[in-house]
């Protein structure tokens, strides 16, 4: 296959580039580098099956030649990013998805949309199944991301139903691993960097919120299987092993062998507003139709992530 990966220089995009190249495909990575980083793909420079194009996908996308698949992964993806880049977040979810779908239609390519567990908002159904419609505040700080992704899902289904474009939708739950941006404000890079520096780990609120963390390579494997499957409707991909943020902080301190303390803080800003209280994917559908489930333990995945952060965190 010849595949286009938008957001190809980002955290997940770059791991997808690696996987598709390893499977023998040709990869075009497109990124405007507002949250992506060429350091994530520099090891691919010189690979004859790899091409990088610096382009903002909210503008018309021109690709010469045949394309078999488009994976639309471009988007700011952390709560801090949505706060700093609210308009770009909405544009890439809405206009960028429109351009990616238009390209897929013109090329007769399959399109896979990177959607998110954020479409479920602060969920009233737990664990979250794909048939849950969500509980999203459209005008809250997360609304720019959540609503753009909800619009992107609706547009993807419209292109599928009206134009017959072959589409896939993955709802991605919290994922971690090497190449996460140190300063993106998410809990994994924050806690690991704080632990490595011996600074207190900043637990927001009382630490009872929960998340379920999936290692990037497991996630990429689920996405790869979904692309090759026949499933048009959304599929959750994530790790169902849920834990509180306080337990997660303790785990990071233990694995980094750090003497950091835990600081309970109540951000007064938008970081904590509408922060979902619980999150856990129901992955029955992925198990059933993709024969997929996560294989990498939290300890093993975090160890790889910590090793990576040791190379980038200034101490
Ligand atoms: N969080 C925290 N301390 C931090 C960063 C995040 O306690 O330094 C909490 C945050 O309030 C949320 C959870 O960790 O409950 C996961 O936050 P993250 O930003 O990683 O992603 P989200 O799942 O909210 O999109």
């Amino acid at each position: 296959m010849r595949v286009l990966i938008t957001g190809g220089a980002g955290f997940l995009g770059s791991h997808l580039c690696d996987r598709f190249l390893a499977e023998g495909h040709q990869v075009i990575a497109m990124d405007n580098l507002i949250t992506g980083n060429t350091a994530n793909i520099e090891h691919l420079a010189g690979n004859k099956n790899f091409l990088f194009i610096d382009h903002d996908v909210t503008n018309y996308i021109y690709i010469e030649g045949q394309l078999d698949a488009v994976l639309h992964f471009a988007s700011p993806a952390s709560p801090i990013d949505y706060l700093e880049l609210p308009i770009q977040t909405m544009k890439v979810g809405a206009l960028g998805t429109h351009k990616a779908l238009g390209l897929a239609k013109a090329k007769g390519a399959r399109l896979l949309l990177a959607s998110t567990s954020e479409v479920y908002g602060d969920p009233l159904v737990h664990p979250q199944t794909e048939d849950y419609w969500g509980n999203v505040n459209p005008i809250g700080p997360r609304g720019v991301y959540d609503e753009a992704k909800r619009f992107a899902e609706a547009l993807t289904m419209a292109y599928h139903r009206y134009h017959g474009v072959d589409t896939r939708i993955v709802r991605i739950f919290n994922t971690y691993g090497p190449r996460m941006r140190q300063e993106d404000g998410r809990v994994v890079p924050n806690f690991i960097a704080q632990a490595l520096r011996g600074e207190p780990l900043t637990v927001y609120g009382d630490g009872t919120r929960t998340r379920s963390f999936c290692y990037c390579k497991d996630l990429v494997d689920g996405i790869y299987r979904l692309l090759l499957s026949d499933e048009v409707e959304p599929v959750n991909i994530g790790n169902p092993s849920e834990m509180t943020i306080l337990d997660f902080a303790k785990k990071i301190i233990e694995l980094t062998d750090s003497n950091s303390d835990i600081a309970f803080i109540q951000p007064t800003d938008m970081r904590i507003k509408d922060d979902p209280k619980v999150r856990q994917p129901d992955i029955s559908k992925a198990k059933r139709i993709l024969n997929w489930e996560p294989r990498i333990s939290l300890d093993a995945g975090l160890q790889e992530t910590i090793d990576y952060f040791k190379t980038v965190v200034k101490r």
Side-chain angles (χ1 to χ4, degrees):
M1 286 192 287
R2 187 163 184 253
V3 306
L4 171 71
I5 302 175
T6 76
F11 163 49
L12 290 179
S14 65
H15 286 290
L16 281 166
C17 291
D18 289 344
R19 174 68 189 261
F20 278 84
L21 289 167
E23 298 283 348
H25 304 297
Q26 290 179 37
V27 173
I28 304 166
M30 185 169 274
D31 208 300
N32 69 350
L33 303 173
I34 60 168
T35 58
N37 186 345
T38 51
N40 293 336
I41 48 168
E42 68 187 357
H43 59 289
L44 302 176
N47 183 326
K48 65 176 183 2
N49 287 325
F50 182 73
L51 176 69
F52 173 69
I53 302 175
D54 185 340
H55 179 70
D56 176 347
V57 296
T58 64
N59 298 316
Y60 185 86
I61 306 172
Y62 175 74
I63 299 285
E64 215 167 349
Q66 150 225 349
L67 262 189
D68 303 293
V70 177
L71 287 91
H72 183 38
F73 275 70
S75 180
S78 87
I80 295 289
D81 289 340
Y82 334 141
L83 289 177
E84 285 173 2
L85 303 164
I87 314 289
Q88 286 96 327
T89 300
M90 293 222 76
K91 282 177 73 178
V92 76
L95 305 179
T97 304
H98 185 226
K99 299 294 180 289
L101 281 162
L103 176 71
K105 174 169 157 264
K107 299 282 187 185
R110 185 171 288 186
L111 178 128
L112 185 145
L113 172 70
S115 186
T116 167
S117 55
E118 287 281 332
V119 300
Y120 302 123
D122 191 1
L124 305 176
V125 167
H126 190 71
Q128 291 76 58
T129 43
E130 287 90 348
D131 56 6
Y132 177 47
W133 292 354
N135 177 38
V136 171
N137 174 6
I139 57 164
R142 287 173 182 254
V144 291
Y145 184 64
D146 301 8
E147 296 295 4
K149 290 291 189 183
R150 289 169 68 95
F151 175 91
E153 286 197 10
L155 190 64
T156 299
M157 290 310 291
Y159 265 69
H160 173 71
R161 293 187 181 120
Y162 189 77
H163 289 305
V165 175
D166 193 15
T167 55
R168 306 285 178 271
I169 298 174
V170 56
R171 290 190 180 146
I172 299 170
F173 284 66
N174 293 68
T175 304
Y176 69 96
R179 306 182 194 158
M180 287 188 98
R181 254 167 61 236
Q182 197 188 317
E183 68 284 7
D184 87 358
R186 280 187 280 190
V187 70
V188 175
N190 271 11
F191 283 2
I192 295 179
Q194 289 161 346
L196 292 177
R197 293 197 192 105
E199 294 165 3
L201 274 61
T202 53
V203 169
Y204 300 162
D206 59 5
T208 55
R209 307 223 164 179
T210 70
R211 292 295 186 271
S212 313
F213 297 99
C214 187
Y215 189 58
C216 53
K217 291 204 172 119
D218 274 335
L219 187 96
V220 162
D221 186 49
I223 290 168
Y224 192 77
R225 287 170 190 241
L226 176 60
L227 180 72
L228 300 185
S229 79
D230 295 330
E231 182 60 33
V232 169
E233 297 210 348
V235 180
N236 290 338
I237 300 283
N239 191 322
S241 67
E242 182 180 7
M243 65 197 301
T244 66
I245 295 301
L246 179 57
D247 284 341
F248 187 65
K250 290 178 184 159
K251 162 85 57 197
I252 298 289
I253 289 174
E254 177 198 316
L255 290 178
T256 49
D257 211 7
S258 168
N259 47 22
S260 288
D261 296 326
I262 290 175
F264 293 91
I265 61 167
Q266 190 65 43
T268 47
D269 59 22
M270 305 291 247
R271 266 177 292 178
I272 189 124
K273 177 152 179 1
D274 299 340
D275 186 12
K277 290 181 249 334
V278 291
R279 181 179 291 152
Q280 185 200 134
D282 181 317
I283 58 164
S284 319
K285 186 173 179 183
K287 278 186 183 160
R288 192 175 68 249
I289 62 172
L290 307 177
N291 191 24
W292 175 88
E293 63 182 315
R295 306 204 171 278
I296 297 158
S297 71
L298 184 63
D299 281 28
L302 281 176
Q303 203 52 64
E304 300 231 347
T305 313
I306 289 164
D307 290 345
Y308 167 79
F309 275 98
K310 280 182 180 162
T311 67
V312 293
V313 170
K314 291 194 186 67
R315 285 186 258 182

